[in-house]
Amino acid sequence: MLRNALLLDAKGNPIHQDHKVLSDDWDEIKDWSSKVYMPYDVSPTGKFDRPLSTMHSAMIGRITVTRFAYGIPVNIRDWSQDAGNAVVLTTIGGTARHWVDTDNAVETPIGGSFVVDCSRTDYNVDFDPDHLQLNLTIPHRVLEQVCKDWFGFVPGDALWQHKCRIGGENSSWLALMHYVVACLAEAPDRLAHDRAGRHLEQTICIHLLNEWAARAGLGLDDPAQTLAPKTVRLAEQYMTDHAASLPTMGEVAAAAGTSIRSLTAAFRKFRNYAPSDFLREQRLQGVRRDLISSEAGKTVSMVAYRWGYISLGEFAKAYKARFGERPSDTLRR
């Protein structure tokens, strides 16, 4: 089933693509890959130097799903860290060799996956001439947000810089990839924007983070991971209770019995984000709760003003970036 991913919908019709799907032109392929994945360098490694590349893609929430092959053996390296993406490459044809460091590589045969956060570490991979990949491109910020929402903290580079193989034959991760492909076949055009797509995005990210962390030797559900000093916990409680009044960081630090500088350092060490980021999240979550439970006659602007937002344009932009929908969409539901 994975080998035919993104080709046909559930009725057997070709899934529409907004881009050309077949090319032997290096410049065109580079344009593809830079837009869908991120900029990187690629070079042929066999006797053939002209590719016969194919690419089909679809969106699940903010995750890009891609069926991709160069048609010749290649080496890919120097993935752009500035693009801010992690990639999960699942081999559905041929073999891929992923370099963990300059001296060690792991191979992914058919059904095997490899995860690397190209926003935090380098990456080098060799594909054989028969390779075919089903890849996920996930913004790093999305993974961080899922960690905050589900595990209460954002891991550091012990996770993000860990490159590893996951999944494989009979694994739950591979079963999830089959499910993802089936969902795309049934609704190839809807999963980019609707609630089912955002739910599937969350499922993919949570499963990935658990698999990834286990191989990095981290326990995301381990209470020891979320331990923080009393000042951090007091600050979080104060910001949660007073988010709507938009307290200053001086007021937050005073409530926690410490200085702004010490509080910021503690948040960076134990939460991997600034206290102002926590306050911003509490305000957005408060707005969302009010919009969902809003009584008749309540408007988006009324709710936004209650939570301290003055510029409705900036608020709407931040809300959509966080929740994947406009505040008016939430209010209508």
Side-chain angles (χ1 to χ4, degrees), residues 84-304:
N85 290 324
V87 290
V88 187
L89 304 95
T90 298
T91 300
I92 57 178
T95 303
R97 176 177 293 177
H98 311 266
W99 293 88
V100 178
D101 53 44
T102 56
D103 300 316
N104 299 286
V106 297
E107 291 189 350
T108 51
I110 293 175
S113 299
F114 192 86
V115 56
V116 57
D117 188 342
C118 295
S119 74
R120 294 297 186 271
T121 188
D122 59 349
Y123 180 44
N124 192 341
V125 59
D126 293 306
F127 292 128
D128 73 8
D130 300 319
H131 78 93
L132 180 61
Q133 303 295 130
L134 180 68
N135 300 332
L136 306 179
T137 305
I138 309 175
H140 176 87
R141 62 181 176 81
V142 172
L143 292 170
E144 282 198 344
Q145 192 61 61
V146 171
C147 282
K148 280 197 283 189
D149 290 346
W150 287 86
F151 304 110
F153 76 111
V154 177
D157 285 340
L159 178 64
W160 308 128
Q161 292 184 353
H162 186 74
K163 296 174 273 191
C164 62
R165 181 171 54 196
I166 64 173
E169 186 177 2
N170 298 321
S171 67
S172 58
W173 174 256
L174 186 59
L176 177 58
M177 292 300 96
H178 280 277
Y179 176 69
V180 165
V181 168
C183 289
L184 285 170
E186 292 180 357
D189 299 322
R190 294 205 332 261
L191 294 182
H193 307 292
D194 68 6
R195 297 177 69 183
R198 293 307 298 271
H199 176 77
L200 186 53
E201 172 197 287
Q202 292 278 301
T203 301
I204 292 169
C205 289
I206 294 167
H207 195 127
L208 171 63
L209 287 163
N210 277 312
E211 295 265 359
W212 193 357
R215 285 157 179 78
L218 300 173
L220 295 179
D221 288 316
D222 184 352
Q225 296 287 350
T226 60
L227 289 179
K230 185 178 180 180
T231 53
V232 170
R233 289 181 277 115
L234 286 172
E236 288 175 337
Q237 188 60 56
Y238 184 84
M239 286 187 282
T240 299
D241 294 340
H242 299 86
S245 61
L246 196 58
T248 66
M249 285 302 107
E251 292 170 335
V252 173
T258 188
S259 67
I260 296 177
R261 182 176 180 178
S262 295
L263 183 64
T264 300
F267 265 81
R268 289 294 183 191
K269 179 177 181 180
F270 292 95
R271 295 296 191 243
N272 204 30
Y273 51 82
S276 57
D277 294 332
F278 182 89
L279 178 59
R280 185 181 304 111
E281 176 69 9
Q282 302 316 302
R283 294 172 68 208
L284 286 170
Q285 292 286 357
V287 169
R288 188 169 180 81
R289 287 193 301 271
D290 282 1
L291 290 174
I292 290 172
S293 61
S294 181
E295 64 271 16
K298 187 69 69 68
T299 66
V300 169
S301 59
M302 292 169 64
V303 175

Side-chain angles (χ1 to χ4, degrees), residues 61-80:
R62 292 162 290 181
I63 298 175
T64 305
V65 186
T66 313
R67 180 183 185 274
F68 190 76
Y70 275 93
I72 61 172
V74 296
N75 170 258
I76 301 178
R77 62 198 174 279
D78 296 333
W79 299 61
S80 171

Side-chain angles (χ1 to χ4, degrees), residues 309-332:
Y309 289 98
I310 304 302
S311 171
L312 292 180
E314 290 298 316
F315 157 70
K317 183 178 179 181
Y319 189 94
K320 186 172 183 180
R322 173 62 182 87
F323 299 111
E325 63 182 10
R326 297 172 301 176
S328 56
D329 296 332
T330 307
L331 181 63
R332 278 197 295 269

